[in-house]
């Protein structure tokens, strides 16, 4: 690479390096590290990448709009958690599940792998981690493990989850049909299904527990990966994540009946609240979110009001053009956050009617929600806004181009890493596909590689990026009392995210030799 390009690449990487170093090695909170990354990106963009005031202003407006989409989920998820927790339901769920199966590996797989993936299938946008992390804490897992497990476990379901929003974005930017893209995408994500299950268990119990869990992982993983593949290649890719995880829930319950996993602790702690009443909020959540996403008439009714803004074409002083278009629309009444709020309100009414709350419970719920939500919100806004600066100044594109130049014929090996990079920066596989989809497609065509395979690696890497995206980590940490202490969680998930992405890269490279 020319020396000038190397220098540009290093400066483009500087904001990301700042966040990684501060969070992982200095144990800074996500909000502080995000603010530092934002400042570094602002200065770097202005000095080296042709940012001007108008560009910066529009990029930050887009960043705030995108942040609102995420914050809508976070505040609603925090509210739901506190509605449930204030009744003592989290502790009751932990006691009840331990009665059902005292095997820790099965608890991890059911909640952190299957149920988190189900929530990704019907909602997404951070809901899986926000909902599952406190449940795992209630089961006795440490807060760090409780956030890391669903972050790792649900990642395989991101592309075909949320009604296939990420896959839709991949088709839109590439101009290719689902029949061409789906087989390889579902195939690589199917492999990721098993890897996510394995490392979700490993993060808690190491290889010994993984060995103990292999039968369960094989049965459940085959059910989920197989179902997702069948739905994707048959044209029903919008139901890929939802259908696969639903089958996974059924197979997971069946696995608990196997003798090796059917363990009940000899002594039982009693709870004043029964398991089914404790879980009622989550039953309500499943019904409401499924209805809002799956029933066309309900979805249409809730989707009548959308908040969006039109942005003009912006050109940096270096000539990088950001096309005109609308920012991320906020579906005011049909958004995942809105569905969570409906679930929270109805759950509050149900719990209150049963007398599970102490006096002034609502005031306590609101106070705890605000206390956790404010620092988390600051971190997410700063992270997303500095990602938007980088996108509008060609910095993200330069990072990806540099990777492709270095590896040349080994490009398939690194193609999932580019998807991972995009998701790390924006907190979204959808955004990663939008930013890097065309680059990956053009690189594949120039190198004589299968575009379907390379784009599958792109979206698989982007899906795996969900486990290391600071914006997603912030969501989970906020629900288990780790706000401001996200560094150790990121350090944990980063390790496994890189390992799984590396494996997917090797498989992509091998597959490219035969396609």
């Amino acid at each position: 690479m020319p020396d000038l390009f190397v220098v540009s690449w290093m400066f483009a990487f500087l904001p990301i390096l700042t966040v990684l170093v501060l969070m992982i090695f200095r144990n800074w909170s996500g909000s502080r590290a995000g603010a530092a990354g934002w400042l570094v990106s602002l200065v770097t963009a202005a000095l080296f990448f042709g940012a001007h005031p108008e560009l910066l202003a529009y990029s930050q407006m887009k960043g705030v709009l995108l942040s609102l989409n995420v914050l809508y989920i976070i505040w609603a998820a925090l509210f739901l958690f506190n509605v449930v927790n204030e009744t003592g339901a989290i502790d009751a769920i932990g006691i009840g599940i331990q009665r059902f199966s005292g095997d820790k590996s099965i608890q991890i797989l059911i909640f952190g792998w299957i149920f988190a993936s189900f929530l990704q299938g019907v909602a997404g946008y951070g809901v899986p981690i926000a909902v599952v992390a406190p449940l795992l804490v209630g089961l006795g897992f440490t807060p760090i493990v409780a956030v890391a497990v669903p972050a790792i476990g649900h990642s395989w379901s991101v592309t075909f989850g949320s009604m296939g929003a990420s896959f839709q974005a991949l088709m839109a930017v590439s101009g290719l049909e689902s029949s061409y893209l789906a087989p390889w995408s579902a195939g690589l994500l199917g492999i990721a299904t098993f890897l996510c299950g394995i490392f979700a268990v490993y993060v808690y119990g190491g290889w010994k527990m993984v060995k103990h869990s292999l039968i369960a992982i094989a049965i459940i993983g085959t059910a989920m990966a197989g179902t997702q593949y069948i739905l994707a290649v048959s044209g029903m890719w919008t139901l890929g994540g939802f259908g696969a995880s639903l089958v996974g829930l059924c197979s997971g319950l069946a696995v608990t009946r196997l003798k090796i996993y059917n363990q009940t602790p000899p002594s039982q702690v009693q709870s004043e609240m029964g398991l089914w009443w404790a879980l009622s909020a989550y039953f309500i959540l499943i019904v409401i979110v499924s209805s809002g996403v799956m029933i066309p008439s309900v979805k249409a009714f809730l989707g009548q009001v959308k908040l969006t803004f039109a942005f003009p074409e912006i050109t940096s002083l270096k000539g990088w053009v950001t096309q005109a278009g609308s920012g991320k629309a906020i579906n005011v009444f049909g958004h995942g956050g809105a569905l969570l709020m409906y679930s929270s309100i109805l759950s509050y009414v149900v719990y209150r009617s049963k007398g599970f709350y102490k006096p002034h419970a609502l005031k306590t719920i609101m106070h705890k929600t605000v206390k956790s939500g404010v620092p988390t919100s600051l971190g997410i806004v700063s992270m997303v806004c500095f990602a938007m600066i980088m996108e509008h100044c060609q910095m993200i594109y330069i990072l990806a181009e540099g990777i492709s130049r270095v590896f040349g014929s080994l490009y398939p090996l690194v193609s999932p890493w580019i998807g991972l990079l995009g998701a790390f920066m924006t907190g979204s596989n959808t955004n990663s596909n939008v930013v890097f989809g065309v680059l990956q497609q053009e690189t594949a065509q120039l190198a004589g590689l299968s575009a379907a395979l390379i784009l599958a690696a792109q979206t698989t890497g982007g899906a795996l990026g969900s486990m290391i995206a600071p914006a997603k980590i912030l969501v989970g940490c906020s629900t288990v009392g780790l706000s401001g202490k996200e560094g150790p969680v990121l350090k944990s998930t980063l390790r496994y995210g890189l390992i799984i992405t590396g494996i997917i890269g090797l498989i992509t490279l091998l597959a490219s030799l035969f396609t």
Side-chain angles (χ1 to χ4, degrees):
M1 289 186 294
D3 291 341
L4 183 60
F5 186 87
V6 173
V7 173
S8 297
W9 195 95
M10 293 175 64
F11 277 116
F13 185 64
L14 193 56
I16 300 175
L17 182 64
T18 299
V19 172
L20 289 174
V21 170
L22 292 178
M23 288 189 70
I24 295 176
F25 298 105
R26 304 297 297 175
N27 289 324
W28 277 34
S29 68
S31 57
R32 291 179 66 198
W38 176 84
L39 181 60
V40 171
S41 68
L42 183 69
V43 173
T44 305
L47 294 179
F48 301 102
F49 294 98
H52 51 80
E54 184 182 16
L55 181 150
L56 293 173
Y58 279 118
S59 72
Q60 297 311 276
M61 290 173 64
K62 286 186 181 180
V64 170
L65 188 60
L66 183 59
S67 297
L68 289 176
N69 263 288
V70 180
L71 294 179
Y72 202 169
I73 288 284
I74 290 174
W75 282 84
L78 285 171
F79 185 61
L80 174 62
F81 166 68
N82 286 304
V83 164
V84 175
N85 191 50
E86 198 62 24
T87 66
I90 298 297
D91 291 336
I93 291 171
I95 294 170
I97 293 297
Q98 289 182 64
R99 290 176 181 169
F100 186 70
S101 176
D103 191 301
K104 287 296 184 183
S105 66
I106 293 299
Q107 293 172 0
I108 285 175
L109 292 176
I110 289 178
F111 283 101
W113 190 33
I114 308 171
F115 186 55
S117 300
F118 178 83
L119 292 173
Q120 177 65 36
V122 297
Y125 304 107
V127 170
I129 306 175
V131 171
V132 171
L135 289 175
L136 290 175
V137 170
L139 287 167
F141 296 95
T142 65
I144 291 177
V145 170
V147 176
V149 164
I152 296 168
H154 89 287
S155 298
W156 68 272
S157 64
V158 171
T159 292
F160 291 110
S162 305
M163 300 304 292
S166 298
F167 191 68
Q168 174 66 55
L170 191 67
M171 289 193 298
V173 298
S174 67
L176 300 172
E177 297 294 329
S178 64
S179 57
Y180 178 70
L181 294 173
W184 273 117
S185 296
L188 290 183
L189 288 163
I191 296 170
T193 303
F194 293 94
L195 295 172
C196 288
I198 288 171
F199 284 103
V201 173
Y202 180 86
V203 75
Y204 173 72
W207 290 118
K208 183 178 180 180
M209 182 168 282
V210 170
K211 183 179 179 181
H212 171 71
S213 309
L214 281 179
I215 295 175
I217 293 172
I219 294 173
I220 299 168
T222 300
M224 293 196 297
T227 301
Q228 179 172 257
Y229 186 89
I230 292 170
L231 290 172
V233 300
S234 63
M236 295 186 289
W237 49 268
T238 55
L239 301 177
F242 174 80
S245 52
L246 189 61
V247 172
L249 282 171
C250 296
S251 60
L253 293 176
V255 164
T256 62
R257 311 316 302 164
L258 296 177
K259 186 176 181 180
I260 188 176
Y261 302 123
N262 191 10
Q263 302 175 15
T264 303
S267 60
Q268 298 289 340
V269 179
Q270 299 299 317
S271 171
E272 294 181 2
M273 179 185 289
L275 175 61
W276 298 114
W277 278 116
L279 287 170
S280 61
Y282 298 103
F283 295 146
I284 292 170
L285 172 67
I286 291 172
V287 171
I288 289 180
V289 173
S290 299
S291 300
V293 172
M294 304 292 295
I295 301 177
S297 58
V298 176
K299 184 177 181 180
F301 177 74
L302 295 176
Q304 297 180 72
V305 180
K306 293 184 179 180
L307 177 64
T308 188
F309 296 95
F311 293 95
E313 180 179 284
I314 297 294
T315 304
S316 73
L317 298 178
K318 297 283 187 178
W320 178 255
V321 178
T322 301
Q323 298 295 330
S326 299
K328 180 71 173 179
I330 299 177
N331 186 354
V332 178
F333 298 108
H335 191 278
L339 300 178
L340 273 168
M341 284 302 299
Y342 306 149
S343 304
S344 302
I345 294 170
L346 184 55
S347 298
Y348 176 82
V349 172
V350 170
Y351 285 140
R352 187 174 181 83
S353 68
K354 296 297 295 183
F356 289 132
Y357 287 119
K358 297 177 181 179
H360 310 296
L362 183 58
K363 182 179 180 180
T364 303
I365 291 169
M366 298 300 294
H367 173 74
K368 290 181 177 179
T369 300
V370 172
K371 184 178 180 181
S372 298
V374 170
T376 301
S377 300
L378 295 174
I380 286 176
V381 170
S382 61
M383 292 282 186
V384 173
C385 284
F386 94 69
M388 290 298 101
I389 291 176
M390 293 181 67
E391 181 180 341
H392 281 67
C393 293
Q394 199 183 1
M395 295 164 73
I396 293 179
Y397 190 91
I398 286 173
L399 290 174
E401 185 182 0
I403 295 171
S404 65
R405 288 190 187 185
V406 167
F407 285 89
S409 61
L410 296 177
Y411 183 78
L413 184 69
V414 299
S415 51
W417 293 91
I418 294 175
L420 186 86
L421 171 66
F424 174 84
M425 286 303 308
T426 65
S428 166
N429 185 22
T430 300
N431 290 342
S432 179
N433 287 343
V434 169
V435 173
F436 289 140
V438 174
L439 170 68
Q440 296 261 32
Q441 183 182 11
E442 291 178 352
T443 303
Q445 292 171 346
L446 289 172
L449 299 167
S450 166
L453 174 62
I454 297 302
L455 288 173
Q458 154 66 34
T459 195
T460 301
L464 296 173
S466 293
M467 74 176 75
I468 67 169
K472 297 286 182 71
I473 299 298
L474 283 162
V475 174
C477 288
S478 66
T479 63
V480 295
L482 287 179
S483 292
K485 302 176 183 178
E486 297 88 0
V489 178
L490 177 59
K491 187 185 298 184
S492 176
T493 60
L494 183 63
R495 181 187 308 124
Y496 306 115
L498 297 182
I499 291 172
I500 298 174
T501 304
I503 294 172
I504 295 297
L506 285 172
I507 294 171
T508 304
L509 179 62
L510 291 173
S512 70
L513 301 177
F514 302 97
T515 56

